[in-house]
mmCIF file of all heavy atoms in Angstrom:
data_model
loop_
_atom_site.group_PDB
_atom_site.id
_atom_site.type_symbol
_atom_site.label_atom_id
_atom_site.label_comp_id
_atom_site.label_asym_id
_atom_site.label_seq_id
_atom_site.Cartn_x
_atom_site.Cartn_y
_atom_site.Cartn_z
ATOM 1 N N LYS A 65 -56.390 -14.118 147.568
ATOM 2 C CA LYS A 65 -55.932 -15.002 146.496
ATOM 3 C C LYS A 65 -56.808 -16.233 146.580
ATOM 4 O O LYS A 65 -56.761 -16.983 147.545
ATOM 5 C CB LYS A 65 -54.472 -15.379 146.672
ATOM 6 C CG LYS A 65 -53.987 -16.256 145.534
ATOM 7 C CD LYS A 65 -52.541 -16.648 145.693
ATOM 8 C CE LYS A 65 -52.129 -17.421 144.462
ATOM 9 N NZ LYS A 65 -51.085 -18.374 144.734
ATOM 10 N N LEU A 66 -57.654 -16.407 145.573
ATOM 11 C CA LEU A 66 -58.640 -17.496 145.580
ATOM 12 C C LEU A 66 -58.135 -18.684 144.776
ATOM 13 O O LEU A 66 -57.746 -18.536 143.619
ATOM 14 C CB LEU A 66 -59.963 -17.001 144.999
ATOM 15 C CG LEU A 66 -60.574 -15.770 145.665
ATOM 16 C CD1 LEU A 66 -61.796 -15.306 144.894
ATOM 17 C CD2 LEU A 66 -60.911 -16.056 147.115
ATOM 18 N N ASP A 67 -58.157 -19.832 145.389
ATOM 19 C CA ASP A 67 -57.778 -21.064 144.721
ATOM 20 C C ASP A 67 -59.058 -21.797 144.323
ATOM 21 O O ASP A 67 -59.870 -22.140 145.181
ATOM 22 C CB ASP A 67 -56.943 -21.941 145.663
ATOM 23 C CG ASP A 67 -56.500 -23.219 144.989
ATOM 24 O OD1 ASP A 67 -55.449 -23.195 144.329
ATOM 25 O OD2 ASP A 67 -57.213 -24.247 145.118
ATOM 26 N N MET A 68 -59.235 -22.005 143.035
ATOM 27 C CA MET A 68 -60.419 -22.701 142.551
ATOM 28 C C MET A 68 -60.128 -24.197 142.517
ATOM 29 O O MET A 68 -59.109 -24.637 141.991
ATOM 30 C CB MET A 68 -60.810 -22.220 141.156
ATOM 31 C CG MET A 68 -61.072 -20.726 141.066
ATOM 32 S SD MET A 68 -62.257 -20.103 142.253
ATOM 33 C CE MET A 68 -63.753 -20.390 141.362
ATOM 34 N N SER A 69 -61.037 -24.978 143.079
ATOM 35 C CA SER A 69 -60.878 -26.423 143.188
ATOM 36 C C SER A 69 -61.333 -27.123 141.903
ATOM 37 O O SER A 69 -62.452 -26.905 141.445
ATOM 38 C CB SER A 69 -61.705 -26.917 144.376
ATOM 39 O OG SER A 69 -61.621 -28.292 144.508
ATOM 40 N N LYS A 70 -60.464 -27.951 141.330
ATOM 41 C CA LYS A 70 -60.778 -28.720 140.119
ATOM 42 C C LYS A 70 -61.502 -27.861 139.083
ATOM 43 O O LYS A 70 -62.607 -28.175 138.627
ATOM 44 C CB LYS A 70 -61.596 -29.957 140.468
ATOM 45 C CG LYS A 70 -60.845 -30.912 141.370
ATOM 46 C CD LYS A 70 -61.645 -32.157 141.640
ATOM 47 C CE LYS A 70 -60.857 -33.088 142.534
ATOM 48 N NZ LYS A 70 -61.594 -34.302 142.865
ATOM 49 N N THR A 71 -60.861 -26.800 138.723
ATOM 50 C CA THR A 71 -61.432 -25.742 137.899
ATOM 51 C C THR A 71 -62.196 -26.234 136.676
ATOM 52 O O THR A 71 -63.346 -25.883 136.473
ATOM 53 C CB THR A 71 -60.307 -24.790 137.449
ATOM 54 O OG1 THR A 71 -59.552 -24.417 138.595
ATOM 55 C CG2 THR A 71 -60.856 -23.564 136.784
ATOM 56 N N TYR A 174 -55.458 -19.925 136.732
ATOM 57 C CA TYR A 174 -55.960 -20.547 137.960
ATOM 58 C C TYR A 174 -55.949 -19.597 139.142
ATOM 59 O O TYR A 174 -56.508 -19.915 140.188
ATOM 60 C CB TYR A 174 -55.134 -21.782 138.316
ATOM 61 C CG TYR A 174 -55.202 -22.843 137.265
ATOM 62 C CD1 TYR A 174 -54.123 -23.100 136.434
ATOM 63 C CD2 TYR A 174 -56.366 -23.584 137.080
ATOM 64 C CE1 TYR A 174 -54.193 -24.075 135.463
ATOM 65 C CE2 TYR A 174 -56.446 -24.556 136.112
ATOM 66 C CZ TYR A 174 -55.354 -24.803 135.306
ATOM 67 O OH TYR A 174 -55.439 -25.767 134.336
ATOM 68 N N ASP A 175 -55.281 -18.477 139.041
ATOM 69 C CA ASP A 175 -55.180 -17.543 140.158
ATOM 70 C C ASP A 175 -56.173 -16.403 139.985
ATOM 71 O O ASP A 175 -56.208 -15.741 138.957
ATOM 72 C CB ASP A 175 -53.760 -16.979 140.269
ATOM 73 C CG ASP A 175 -52.753 -18.038 140.662
ATOM 74 O OD1 ASP A 175 -53.109 -18.902 141.489
ATOM 75 O OD2 ASP A 175 -51.622 -18.004 140.156
ATOM 76 N N ASN A 176 -56.967 -16.197 141.028
ATOM 77 C CA ASN A 176 -57.962 -15.139 141.025
ATOM 78 C C ASN A 176 -57.707 -14.245 142.230
ATOM 79 O O ASN A 176 -57.566 -14.744 143.349
ATOM 80 C CB ASN A 176 -59.374 -15.737 141.130
ATOM 81 C CG ASN A 176 -59.657 -16.682 139.986
ATOM 82 O OD1 ASN A 176 -59.674 -16.291 138.844
ATOM 83 N ND2 ASN A 176 -59.858 -17.945 140.296
ATOM 84 N N GLN A 204 -65.853 -24.114 142.628
ATOM 85 C CA GLN A 204 -65.786 -24.064 144.074
ATOM 86 C C GLN A 204 -64.439 -23.503 144.506
ATOM 87 O O GLN A 204 -63.401 -23.924 144.014
ATOM 88 C CB GLN A 204 -65.980 -25.460 144.653
ATOM 89 C CG GLN A 204 -66.178 -25.475 146.136
ATOM 90 C CD GLN A 204 -66.568 -26.857 146.624
ATOM 91 O OE1 GLN A 204 -66.397 -27.846 145.929
ATOM 92 N NE2 GLN A 204 -67.076 -26.923 147.826
ATOM 93 N N VAL A 205 -64.490 -22.548 145.437
ATOM 94 C CA VAL A 205 -63.271 -21.974 145.989
ATOM 95 C C VAL A 205 -62.758 -22.910 147.076
ATOM 96 O O VAL A 205 -63.499 -23.309 147.963
ATOM 97 C CB VAL A 205 -63.523 -20.560 146.563
ATOM 98 C CG1 VAL A 205 -62.280 -20.031 147.272
ATOM 99 C CG2 VAL A 205 -63.954 -19.603 145.461
ATOM 100 N N ASN A 206 -61.495 -23.252 146.990
ATOM 101 C CA ASN A 206 -60.858 -24.071 148.016
ATOM 102 C C ASN A 206 -60.329 -23.100 149.079
ATOM 103 O O ASN A 206 -59.243 -22.543 148.928
ATOM 104 C CB ASN A 206 -59.733 -24.894 147.400
ATOM 105 C CG ASN A 206 -59.093 -25.836 148.385
ATOM 106 O OD1 ASN A 206 -59.206 -25.673 149.600
ATOM 107 N ND2 ASN A 206 -58.389 -26.819 147.855
ATOM 108 N N VAL A 207 -61.112 -22.893 150.143
ATOM 109 C CA VAL A 207 -60.734 -21.909 151.158
ATOM 110 C C VAL A 207 -59.464 -22.314 151.897
ATOM 111 O O VAL A 207 -58.704 -21.453 152.351
ATOM 112 C CB VAL A 207 -61.878 -21.600 152.159
ATOM 113 C CG1 VAL A 207 -63.009 -20.865 151.481
ATOM 114 C CG2 VAL A 207 -62.372 -22.845 152.842
ATOM 115 N N ALA A 208 -59.185 -23.618 152.000
ATOM 116 C CA ALA A 208 -57.976 -24.076 152.685
ATOM 117 C C ALA A 208 -56.712 -23.642 151.936
ATOM 118 O O ALA A 208 -55.677 -23.409 152.550
ATOM 119 C CB ALA A 208 -57.999 -25.595 152.844
ATOM 120 N N LYS A 209 -56.806 -23.518 150.614
ATOM 121 C CA LYS A 209 -55.649 -23.107 149.820
ATOM 122 C C LYS A 209 -55.702 -21.624 149.447
ATOM 123 O O LYS A 209 -54.770 -21.113 148.843
ATOM 124 C CB LYS A 209 -55.561 -23.945 148.541
ATOM 125 C CG LYS A 209 -55.145 -25.375 148.793
ATOM 126 C CD LYS A 209 -54.944 -26.086 147.470
ATOM 127 C CE LYS A 209 -54.466 -27.500 147.651
ATOM 128 N NZ LYS A 209 -54.278 -28.179 146.358
ATOM 129 N N SER A 210 -56.776 -20.955 149.780
ATOM 130 C CA SER A 210 -56.897 -19.521 149.511
ATOM 131 C C SER A 210 -56.310 -18.753 150.694
ATOM 132 O O SER A 210 -56.173 -19.294 151.790
ATOM 133 C CB SER A 210 -58.365 -19.141 149.317
ATOM 134 O OG SER A 210 -58.893 -19.821 148.198
ATOM 135 N N SER A 211 -55.954 -17.497 150.465
ATOM 136 C CA SER A 211 -55.372 -16.708 151.551
ATOM 137 C C SER A 211 -55.729 -15.239 151.408
ATOM 138 O O SER A 211 -56.191 -14.790 150.358
ATOM 139 C CB SER A 211 -53.852 -16.890 151.587
ATOM 140 O OG SER A 211 -53.280 -16.497 150.360
#
Side-chain angles (χ1 to χ4, degrees):
K65 182 180 184 209
L66 304 174
D67 181 87
M68 303 307 274
S69 178
K70 298 183 180 178
T71 310
Y174 298 107
D175 293 322
N176 301 297
Q204 191 172 17
V205 174
N206 184 341
V207 292
K209 289 186 177 180
S210 298
S211 59

